[in-house]
């Protein structure tokens, strides 16, 4: 296929946490709100006068200092973030708002605070409690936490307008991004898709780490370009897979899978678009904050939600993606040392394989997969097994 | 060998097998006392085993074989003790043994596979092992029973290898090997279908860690979807010191009580609740008194005598069993007397230590080894530094918040969650209060919340001039770090940094890799 015009630009954005668009936004006087987890509602971090950045540590090399503080038993994402913070890589941020999502991320941010990695006047840390069940009590908690740990601090420290009107404006912009990402992502449903999983991953990832208003024109142009993009006459992919699991902000992960012959037709992971880029639908009969929290809570696929309906819902969601995106199989992945996804991967693999009948590859992986020969070999073997099943006419 | 503390080398009892060479001679009076208590434990076991359903359970459940090691477990925790210390240990441990026997008896009586007593099963509420049982304090007609406690938790106390099979089962099923082995083993028991099946409903919780929370999902899958036992997930806030989470926590308690009422038909009884609350407060006062003594030169209730008993009384009993308050009173009497007489547990106290972190479960008698081998006094431990708040004995609205508070402040999670202050900053405050010169820091390698503060612990200890001794272990799995490897970490520090010789050199290296 012909190269996408802005792909290189998106790739460049992902090479540095303090990327061109972040710098541009900062130069224009906007405050940068850093976060580390999908459970911090994005529209609340992108109010007029602010923009959000989900922290990553691109081009991670040594994580020795991160390992000293966190030990080698914590996931590499948290160690890489801490390392980058110690190096001064997140000094562009004006605050960090962190949900107490998992123990490791929580400790990572606490270490940043204790080590005073960002020495800047007015810089602050906020820690949010996030509900572990989706119910009315959880919603009340979520709303209160967003008020106390996002809205009030932003208003108090930066004078940001946190009114219902401002929140609705932010949601409108957020939804524009979501609609474009969904439009682009829907091409993956086709038998001969006009976008690769890698390209889509890069575009989606960029929307989490760049100011929404500044990235929108590039997304619009890309969506428009894709309307007339011609797919390759003959696809080199031999199987279609849904990629499910923990945090992936590594640009190489999807590329490695696709280089091994599997087309990533759906992305169900943190930093992915499903459900992270679902629109937030607001009505006028209730305040925007409550509606945002409700939608984040009920649509969230984070394994820390512990009530049975959410547990079962997570596997049903993956099955529905398999159907919708015509997947041949599923790759369940987790970053090594991630407790929530270790269990979710185990049971999800069992359910999808034994009960839903999908071929499943279950892997754990490092933060930066690079050119991992082990994972490549496993994906290649998985693709072959899916192909053999197809040839032999087995179930899926 | 004799009456005097430290009169014989305790390491000489060890063989390369499961049991010791012989019982310890402690002088006539203490040996006779110890022997009568041993007979009592054997009596509890005999009373338990003569019931045919319990014999059946021995053959049905793999983990039941570990209970043959009960007398040995108590012996391990009384090594070298004399006088008041010995009596305090037996008062506590023997009661815990009787309580677990009662729990097992009830479990098997109601178990669909064994006793199948449907009436009892209809009154049983299954409880999570890592759960404060406050929400059962108003249900006098119901029985709160934990399956994981005897199957996994106690089993590992009895036999260091007890969880290995279940850990392997979970990993064969596809679980990553780097998660905490405790929820991993519990999930393994469930995967192996090796839990008794009973109960009108179950209450799970999120109290210890991410692994524990996620392991519950595995258990509820079999419990709720296959065995038809409805489950309630009690979500307790992680940042438990914050004011803005307390209403959520209280509502969870209200919802939990409503769930139990709905599933069992029982009604919440405030009179019974406040009766239990009074007992909790009395236990808290006793514990606070013991901790105060430990701040002096003559600590009396510390180490093993404090740790395991506090866990049981604070978390599992929650004032529901009057026998524990009676035991508290007896322990306080013994401790006060010993304090007046300036008694010491070992012949020399060389270092005053706070034991922090999550202890190695397969080596719970490590604390007594510390004092016997090196004269290190484990004044208190992280799991014993739980809430000392006095709860309301008459205000119904406040009581809901008290239950929520206690649930949030469950053993371990009150330190490993709630922000770094409760784990890091308060440790140094305790060091000052207890005049400790040493911190023994258990580094449970799979406990992410704890090891995530590794660097901070090191830097702060250095800054404050406190000796910090890391002791790495893998909680339930001695195949990763053995008991001797645990001891070696202390031995190395004592010899190279403190340049000391052990009080009892026979304990420095022990052939106990196959021992119960």
């Amino acid at each position: 296929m012909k190269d996408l015009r802005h792909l290189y630009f998106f790739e460049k954005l992902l090479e540095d946490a303090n990327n061109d668009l972040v710098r541009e936004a900062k130069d224009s006087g906007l405050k940068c709100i850093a976060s580390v987890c999908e459970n911090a509602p994005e529209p609340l971090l992108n109010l007029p006068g602010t923009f959000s950045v989900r922290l990553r540590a691109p081009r991670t090399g040594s994580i020795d200092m991160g390992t000293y503080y966190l030990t080698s038993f914590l996931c590499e994402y948290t160690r890489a973030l801490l390392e980058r913070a110690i190096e001064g890589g997140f000094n562009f941020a004006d605050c960090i708002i962190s949900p107490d999502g998992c123990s490791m991320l929580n400790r990572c941010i606490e270490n940043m605070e204790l080590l005073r990695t960002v020495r800047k006047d007015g810089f602050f840390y906020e820690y949010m409690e996030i509900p572990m069940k989706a119910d009315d009590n959880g919603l009340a908690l979520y709303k209160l936490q967003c008020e106390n740990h996002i809205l009030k601090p932003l208003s108090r420290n930066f004078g940001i307008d946190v009114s219902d009107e401002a929140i609705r404006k932010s949601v409108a912009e957020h939804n524009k991004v979501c609609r474009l990402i969904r439009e682009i992502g829907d091409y993956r449903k086709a038998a001969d898709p006009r976008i690769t999983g890698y390209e889509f991953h890069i575009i989606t990832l960029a929307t989490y780490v760049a100011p929404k208003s500044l990235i929108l024109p590039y997304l619009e142009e890309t969506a428009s370009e894709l309307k007339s993009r011609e797919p390759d006459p003959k696809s080199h992919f031999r199987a279609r897979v849904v990629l499910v699991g923990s945090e992936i902000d590594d640009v190489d992960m999807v590329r490695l899978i696709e280089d091994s012959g599997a087309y990533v037709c759906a992305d169900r992971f943190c930093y992915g678009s499903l459900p992270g880029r679902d629109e937030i639908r607001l009505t006028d009969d209730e305040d925007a904050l409550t509606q945002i929290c409700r939608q984040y809570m009920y649509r969230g696929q984070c394994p820390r939600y512990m009530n049975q309906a959410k547990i079962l819902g997570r596997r049903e969601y993956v099955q529905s993606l398999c159907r919708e995106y015509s997947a041949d199989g599923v790759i369940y992945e987790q970053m090594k040392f991630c407790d929530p996804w270790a269990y979710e991967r185990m049971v999800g693999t069992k359910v999808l394989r034994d009960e839903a009948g999908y071929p499943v590859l279950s892997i754990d992986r490092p933060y930066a997969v690079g050119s991992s020969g082990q994972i490549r070999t496993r994906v290649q073997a998985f693709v072959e097994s899916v192909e053999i099943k197809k040839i032999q006419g087995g179930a899926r | 060998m004799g009456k005097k503390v430290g009169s014989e080398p305790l390491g000489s009892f060890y063989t390369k097998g499961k049991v010791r060479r012989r019982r310890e001679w402690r002088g006539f009076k203490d040996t006779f006392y110890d022997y009568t208590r041993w007979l009592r434990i054997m009596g509890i076991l005999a009373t338990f085993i003569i019931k045919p359903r319990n014999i059946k359970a021995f053959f049905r459940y793999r983990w039941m074989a570990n209970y043959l090691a009960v007398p040995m477990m108590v012996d391990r925790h009384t090594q070298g003790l004399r006088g008041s210390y010995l009596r305090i240990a037996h008062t506590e441990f023997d009661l815990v043994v009787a309580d677990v026997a009662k729990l097992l008896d009830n479990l098997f009586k109601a178990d669909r596979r064994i006793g199948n007593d449907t009436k009892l099963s209809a009154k049983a509420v299954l409880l999570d092992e890592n759960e404060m049982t406050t929400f059962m304090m108003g249900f006098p007609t119901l029985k709160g029973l934990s399956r994981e406690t005897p199957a996994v938790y106690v089993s590992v106390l009895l036999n260091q290898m007890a969880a290995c099979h279940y850990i392997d089962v979970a990993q064969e099923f596809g679980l990553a090997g780097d998660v905490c082995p405790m929820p991993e083993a519990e999930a393994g028991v469930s995967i192996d279908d090796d839990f008794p099946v009973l109960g009108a409903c179950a209450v799970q919780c999120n109290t210890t860690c991410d692994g524990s929370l996620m392991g519950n999902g595995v258990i509820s899958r079999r419990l709720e979807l296959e065995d038809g036992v409805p489950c309630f997930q009690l979500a307790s806030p992680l940042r438990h010191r914050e004011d803005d989470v307390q209403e959520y926590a209280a509502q969870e308690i209200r919802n939990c009580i409503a769930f139990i009422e709905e599933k069992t038909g029982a009604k919440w009884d405030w009179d019974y609740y406040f009766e239990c609350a009074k007992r909790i407060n009395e236990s808290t006062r006793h514990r606070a008194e013991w901790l105060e003594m430990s701040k002096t030169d003559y600590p009396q209730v510390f180490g093993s005598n404090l740790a395991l008993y506090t866990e049981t009384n604070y978390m599992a009993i929650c004032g529901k069993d009057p026998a524990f308050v009676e035991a508290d009173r007896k322990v306080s009497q013994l401790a006060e007397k010993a304090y007046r007489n300036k008694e010491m547990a070992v012949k020399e106290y060389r270092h005053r230590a706070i034991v922090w972190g999550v202890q190695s479960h397969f080596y719970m008698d490590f604390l007594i080894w510390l004092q016997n081998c090196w004269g290190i006094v484990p004044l208190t431990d992280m799991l014993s530094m739980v809430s000392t708040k006095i709860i309301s004995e008459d205000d119904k609205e406040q009581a809901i918040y008290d239950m929520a508070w206690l649930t949030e402040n469950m053993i371990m999670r009150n330190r490993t969650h709630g922000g770094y202050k409760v784990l890091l900053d308060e440790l140094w405050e305790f060091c000052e209060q207890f005049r400790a010169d040493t911190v023994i820091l258990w580094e449970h390698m799979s406990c992410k919340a704890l090891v995530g503060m590794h660097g901070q612990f090191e830097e702060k200890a250095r800054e404050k001039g406190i000796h910090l001794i890391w002791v790495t272990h893998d909680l339930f799995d001695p195949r990763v770090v053995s008991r001797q490897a645990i001891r070696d970490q202390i031995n190395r520090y004592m010899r190279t940094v403190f340049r000391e010789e052990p009080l009892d050199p026979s304990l420095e290296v022990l052939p106990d890799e196959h021992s119960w």
Side-chain angles (χ1 to χ4, degrees):
Chain A
M1 284 184 288
K2 193 179 163 190
D3 283 350
L4 288 173
R5 191 174 156 216
H6 294 305
L7 185 66
Y8 180 70
F9 172 74
F10 290 127
E11 285 176 329
K12 287 294 283 180
L13 285 181
L14 298 174
E15 283 182 7
D16 191 355
N18 188 15
N19 58 50
D20 288 349
L21 295 186
V22 168
R23 284 198 292 271
E24 193 181 327
K26 287 283 296 175
D27 289 346
S28 70
L30 297 180
K31 295 289 181 186
C32 175
I33 317 300
S35 190
V36 286
C37 173
E38 67 176 9
N39 288 304
E42 251 186 310
L44 304 181
L45 311 177
N46 286 279
L47 296 166
T50 66
F51 68 97
S52 70
V53 168
R54 280 266 292 277
L55 295 182
R56 301 168 59 240
R59 294 180 297 159
T60 284
S62 158
I63 51 172
D64 286 352
M65 286 187 289
T67 302
Y68 167 71
Y69 283 103
L70 299 176
T71 79
S72 55
F73 304 118
L74 264 64
C75 79
E76 288 181 357
Y77 174 55
T78 55
R79 282 187 271 157
L81 285 186
L82 182 58
E83 181 90 13
R84 188 59 51 91
I86 293 169
E87 289 167 350
F90 300 138
N91 286 354
F92 62 89
D94 293 295
C95 64
I96 296 182
I97 295 178
S98 170
D100 200 335
C102 68
S103 296
M104 292 187 276
L105 264 178
N106 183 47
R107 289 296 186 229
C108 167
I109 303 301
E110 287 183 336
N111 269 279
M112 287 183 195
E113 184 186 347
L114 286 162
L115 292 167
R116 297 187 61 212
T117 55
V118 183
R119 292 169 191 258
K120 184 194 277 189
D121 286 344
F123 190 92
F124 65 90
Y125 292 84
E126 282 289 337
Y127 301 92
M128 294 170 68
E129 180 80 28
I130 297 294
M132 293 194 172
K133 294 195 300 187
D135 58 13
D136 291 345
N137 194 28
L139 179 59
L141 175 76
Y142 212 165
K143 193 182 162 196
L144 183 65
Q145 292 292 309
C146 288
E147 280 170 350
N148 289 351
H149 300 281
I150 300 178
L151 300 181
K152 284 180 185 170
L154 291 185
S155 170
R156 192 172 51 235
N157 291 291
F158 303 140
I160 300 299
D161 177 7
V162 295
S163 64
D164 190 69
E165 193 188 346
I167 295 173
R168 284 176 188 271
K169 199 173 164 193
S170 171
V171 169
E173 189 176 63
H174 177 86
N175 283 348
K176 271 188 204 167
V177 172
C178 292
R179 276 194 295 274
L180 285 165
I181 289 291
R182 189 64 73 241
E183 182 189 330
I184 295 168
D186 278 352
Y187 290 119
R188 296 175 301 170
K189 292 177 182 172
D192 51 348
R194 61 186 70 182
I195 185 167
T196 65
Y198 168 73
E199 290 166 335
F200 182 74
H201 179 50
I202 295 298
I203 296 167
T204 306
L205 204 49
T207 65
Y208 285 102
V209 299
K212 305 279 180 288
S213 58
L214 297 181
I215 205 168
L216 264 169
Y218 297 95
L219 294 177
E220 281 162 356
E221 276 192 51
T222 304
S224 165
E225 188 185 348
L226 278 163
K227 283 178 185 158
S228 56
R229 195 189 199 196
E230 286 293 319
D232 285 336
K234 190 174 183 304
S235 170
H236 66 277
F237 295 116
R238 291 142 62 193
R240 296 169 61 86
V241 297
V242 177
L243 183 56
V244 185
S246 67
E247 194 271 358
I248 300 178
D249 70 59
D250 179 12
V251 294
D252 291 326
M253 182 67 192
V254 175
R255 178 156 52 195
L256 182 148
I257 293 170
E258 297 205 324
D259 285 351
S260 305
Y263 177 71
V264 178
C265 62
D267 51 340
R268 168 58 296 280
F269 47 80
C270 310
Y271 272 108
S273 71
L274 298 161
R277 286 290 170 246
D278 282 353
E279 274 187 68
I280 294 167
R281 299 187 191 283
L282 296 183
T283 59
D284 293 333
D285 55 357
E286 193 180 29
D287 64 278
L289 177 61
T290 306
Q291 295 181 67
I292 291 170
C293 290
R294 185 182 295 113
Q295 289 177 50
Y296 261 80
M297 186 177 73
Y298 281 103
R299 79 175 192 198
Q301 298 295 313
C302 178
R304 69 197 291 287
Y305 279 105
M306 63 190 281
N307 54 319
Q308 195 68 264
K310 288 291 270 187
I311 293 174
L312 296 174
R314 288 199 287 272
R315 285 118 210 190
E316 281 161 16
Y317 186 71
V318 175
Q319 286 185 57
S320 72
L321 292 180
C322 288
R323 286 190 294 270
E324 194 180 342
Y325 287 81
S326 311
D328 300 310
V330 179
I331 297 180
Y332 259 101
E333 59 81 24
Q334 66 156 109
M335 200 175 301
K336 191 140 181 65
F337 302 111
C338 174
D339 282 345
W341 276 101
Y343 283 90
E344 184 63 20
R345 176 169 73 93
M346 172 181 76
V347 183
T349 298
K350 174 87 180 156
V351 170
L352 266 290
R353 186 185 286 153
D354 295 353
E355 295 174 20
Y358 284 97
V360 182
L361 173 65
S362 185
I363 51 172
D364 59 12
R365 62 176 185 88
Y367 174 51
V369 73
S371 54
S372 165
Q374 289 160 321
I375 295 180
R376 187 180 299 274
T377 305
R378 293 199 63 191
V379 176
Q380 285 169 343
F382 179 64
V383 170
E384 279 176 27
S385 75
V386 171
E387 274 185 317
I388 290 166
K389 279 193 181 119
K390 276 187 190 168
I391 292 164
Q392 292 176 340
R396 286 197 186 87
Chain B
M1 100 172 127
K3 187 180 169 183
K4 209 173 147 199
V5 173
S7 56
E8 63 181 335
L10 295 170
S12 64
F13 300 130
Y14 285 78
T15 65
K16 288 183 179 173
K18 290 193 184 308
V19 295
R20 304 283 155 85
R21 185 163 281 120
R22 64 172 172 82
R23 298 186 66 73
E24 191 180 343
W25 178 255
R26 307 169 197 255
F28 178 75
K29 197 176 165 190
D30 281 348
T31 304
F32 182 74
Y33 170 77
D34 187 51
Y35 185 65
T36 57
R37 303 305 292 188
W38 181 81
L39 283 176
R40 184 166 179 269
I41 290 165
M42 295 307 276
I44 293 170
L45 288 180
T47 314
F48 176 80
I49 204 65
I50 52 169
K51 293 178 183 167
R53 63 166 182 265
N54 293 341
I55 296 174
K56 192 176 169 188
F58 259 99
F59 290 97
R60 171 59 185 83
Y61 298 111
R62 180 188 181 100
W63 45 266
M64 272 304 289
N66 301 309
Y67 283 81
L68 295 171
V70 170
M72 165 90 168
M73 190 276 277
V74 178
D75 285 350
R76 280 197 279 123
H77 287 89
T78 56
Q79 286 175 90
L81 297 184
R82 304 283 190 275
S84 306
Y85 297 98
L86 180 67
R87 281 154 185 79
I88 290 171
H90 273 300
T91 304
E92 296 176 345
F93 280 94
D94 299 1
L95 182 58
V96 173
V97 167
D99 188 64
V100 174
K102 203 161 61 184
L103 169 64
L104 283 168
D105 196 38
N106 279 320
L107 280 174
F108 298 139
K109 191 175 177 190
D111 186 359
R112 292 179 202 167
R113 294 161 171 149
I114 309 280
N116 199 23
D117 184 332
T118 50
K119 278 187 184 166
L120 177 60
S121 183
K123 288 181 180 302
V125 178
L126 296 182
L127 305 174
D128 196 322
E129 175 190 341
N130 298 304
E131 188 164 67
M132 291 297 286
T133 54
T134 52
F135 54 82
M136 292 302 292
M137 287 162 63
F139 290 114
T141 58
L142 300 180
K143 282 205 183 295
L145 304 174
S146 165
R147 305 181 305 166
E148 293 102 329
T149 300
V152 180
Y153 184 91
V154 177
S155 288
V156 181
L157 286 179
L158 302 170
N159 172 9
Q160 61 172 327
M161 295 291 179
C164 294
H165 167 75
Y166 298 112
I167 289 169
D168 292 348
V169 166
Q171 291 186 16
E172 280 167 20
F173 199 74
L175 186 60
D178 50 42
V179 300
C180 173
M182 184 164 164
E184 185 181 21
E186 291 169 5
V189 178
S190 191
I191 292 164
D192 227 11
D193 198 11
D194 221 13
F195 277 130
V197 182
L198 69 150
C201 60
V203 179
Q204 299 185 311
C205 66
N206 67 329
T207 45
T208 39
C209 62
D210 295 339
S212 179
L213 179 157
M214 294 303 298
N216 279 339
V218 179
I219 293 170
S220 71
R221 187 172 168 79
R222 188 178 288 281
L223 198 58
E224 190 155 22
L225 305 185
E226 291 181 25
D227 299 332
V229 178
C231 296
F232 180 85
Q233 281 82 22
L234 175 61
S236 195
L238 299 174
R239 305 198 77 81
H240 52 80
R241 293 278 176 106
E242 302 292 327
D243 289 341
D244 62 4
V245 301
Q246 303 307 331
E247 182 50 44
Y248 174 78
Q251 189 56 41
E252 279 296 287
I253 294 291
R254 291 186 196 105
N255 293 348
C256 178
I257 291 170
F259 170 83
I260 296 170
E261 285 183 333
E262 182 198 331
K263 300 299 173 192
T264 61
K267 285 286 158 213
W268 182 258
D269 179 341
W270 279 112
D271 291 338
Y272 182 66
Y273 170 83
F274 288 124
E275 204 181 297
C276 295
K278 282 176 188 153
R279 285 197 280 263
I280 286 186
N281 285 339
E282 188 175 343
S283 287
T284 302
R285 289 189 188 99
H286 285 293
R287 181 161 38 86
E289 186 192 340
W290 306 338
L291 291 173
E292 280 304 311
M293 271 184 213
S294 293
K295 292 173 185 171
T296 71
D297 289 340
Y298 297 99
Q300 300 300 329
V301 188
F302 61 91
S304 296
N305 279 358
L306 180 69
L308 193 66
Y309 181 71
T310 301
E311 280 188 41
T312 311
N313 197 6
Y314 179 79
M315 186 165 68
I317 301 302
C318 274
K320 295 188 292 296
D321 188 346
F324 277 80
V325 177
E326 284 164 27
D328 289 335
R329 289 175 195 149
K330 192 174 168 189
V331 169
S332 284
Q333 274 175 4
L334 287 164
E336 282 161 18
K337 190 179 159 204
Y339 179 74
R340 281 194 300 273
N341 296 337
K342 298 185 175 179
E343 287 179 30
M344 289 169 69
V346 289
K347 60 186 175 189
E348 187 184 342
Y349 290 167
R350 288 180 178 169
H351 299 284
R352 296 171 63 85
I354 303 280
V355 181
W356 211 243
V358 183
Q359 65 219 17
S360 143
H361 214 76
F362 60 85
Y363 195 14
M364 282 286 272
D365 48 316
F366 169 80
L367 298 182
I368 211 161
W369 175 86
L370 271 182
Q371 63 197 52
N372 284 330
C373 184
W374 289 102
I376 299 172
V377 192
L379 298 162
T380 188
D381 59 286
M382 189 180 88
L383 275 61
S384 298
M385 298 310 281
V386 282
S387 173
T388 49
K389 187 174 146 183
I390 296 301
I391 61 174
S392 173
E393 296 179 5
D394 50 17
D395 182 339
K396 292 177 185 174
E397 189 52 29
Q398 179 58 41
I400 297 288
Y401 288 87
D402 289 341
M403 282 186 265
W405 168 261
L406 287 171
T407 303
E408 290 172 83
N409 282 277
M410 191 211 96
I411 275 172
M412 189 178 122
R413 73 105 67 176
N414 74 320
R415 300 275 161 212
T416 53
H417 288 93
Y420 61 83
K421 288 189 177 70
V422 290
L423 181 70
L424 189 68
D425 295 357
E426 291 188 9
L427 168 61
W428 315 120
E429 288 169 21
F430 293 140
C431 283
E432 211 172 300
Q433 287 170 20
F434 285 81
R435 297 182 294 123
D437 64 332
T438 304
V439 169
I440 307 286
L441 224 159
W442 286 117
E443 184 154 66
H444 166 22
M445 57 206 290
S446 320
C447 180
K448 274 79 176 187
L450 190 81
V451 298
M453 278 290 139
H454 180 101
Q456 297 295 337
F457 279 124
E458 289 214 339
E459 289 186 353
K460 293 281 179 200
R462 224 174 280 138
E463 188 184 307
K464 291 176 182 295
I466 289 173
H467 288 275
L468 181 73
I469 311 180
W470 289 106
V471 185
T472 303
H473 66 93
D474 198 21
L475 194 72
F476 271 34
D477 196 343
R479 297 170 300 184
V480 180
V481 180
S482 69
R483 285 175 174 169
Q484 186 55 46
I486 285 176
R487 288 189 291 268
D488 283 343
Q489 295 172 72
I490 298 288
N491 294 343
R492 211 163 30 238
Y493 196 95
M494 298 309 289
R495 285 191 176 279
T496 57
V497 180
F498 281 128
R499 296 188 174 275
E500 287 179 9
E501 290 296 319
L503 278 184
D504 181 350
S506 73
L507 285 170
E508 206 174 350
V509 178
L510 299 169
D512 61 349
E513 60 268 35
H514 301 299
S515 162
W516 278 329

